[in-house]
Amino acid sequence: VMRLLGMACDLLVLLAAGLIVGHGVDLVLRAGGVPLAGGAQVWVESAALWGLPALVLLVVSARGMSPGQRAVLLRPAERPGAGAVLLRWLSGVGGLAIGEAVINVLAPSAGAGFALVWGAVHVAAVLRSRNHRGVTGRVAGIELRDARDSGAETAVAPEQ
């Protein structure tokens, strides 16, 4: 249950950041009087709504934990390397955001279906996998532990 709640937190962070960045970019472009042609508008919108927020989540997660994992007190058993962090991001919220950004440009009506299938696969994987690793934990080779258990806190240094 905690793993699913952490995933929901990451999704909410992605969506909230996307709305903030998307509206901010729109406001700046309008205030600056920058007209965008139809094709450019869609690309800028996709980058603002999905791309930039996903990159921010990658940077924030670079220390080994996503915002959702921090919120529900899940910690990696061992500090993941940069490759594992990138794989976790690509197979999780980053992959979802990249997919949605591309779909928003190429086939906007398919976005909701893509998100539904992506979410269903990830939820099913968490419920059915050993130790509830899910897709991202399996792809990246990351095991999560409850930070309240002894020893789990040592894998990632505390924030300074």
Side-chain angles (χ1 to χ4, degrees):
V1 174
M2 297 307 286
R3 178 79 173 93
L4 292 174
L5 184 57
M7 291 166 50
C9 288
D10 287 338
L11 180 60
L12 288 173
V13 168
L14 176 69
L15 294 175
L19 289 172
I20 291 167
V21 172
H23 285 297
V25 167
D26 184 51
L27 181 65
V28 168
L29 291 175
R30 286 176 193 255
V34 179
L36 294 175
Q41 175 70 29
V42 173
W43 281 104
V44 168
E45 178 182 288
S46 291
L49 290 174
W50 296 105
L52 292 175
L55 287 174
V56 168
L57 276 175
L58 175 61
V59 170
V60 168
S61 300
R63 293 191 49 140
M65 294 174 286
S66 72
Q69 290 168 344
R70 286 182 191 277
V72 298
L73 301 176
L74 292 175
R75 305 289 184 260
E78 297 177 11
R79 187 175 186 137
V85 170
L86 183 60
L87 282 173
R88 181 186 64 202
W89 179 81
L90 284 170
S91 62
V93 72
L96 173 65
I98 291 167
E100 285 292 340
V102 170
I103 287 170
N104 191 46
V105 172
L106 302 177
S109 61
F114 174 74
L116 182 64
V117 170
W118 186 276
V121 166
H122 280 264
V123 168
V126 165
L127 296 175
R128 302 180 69 101
S129 62
R130 180 179 60 86
N131 293 334
H132 305 291
R133 287 173 72 178
V135 171
T136 59
R138 184 172 178 116
V139 168
I142 296 173
E143 290 278 345
L144 296 176
R145 304 277 187 258
D146 189 325
R148 295 167 291 192
D149 293 342
S150 64
E153 302 166 34
T154 61
V156 177
E159 299 255 352
Q160 306 260 345

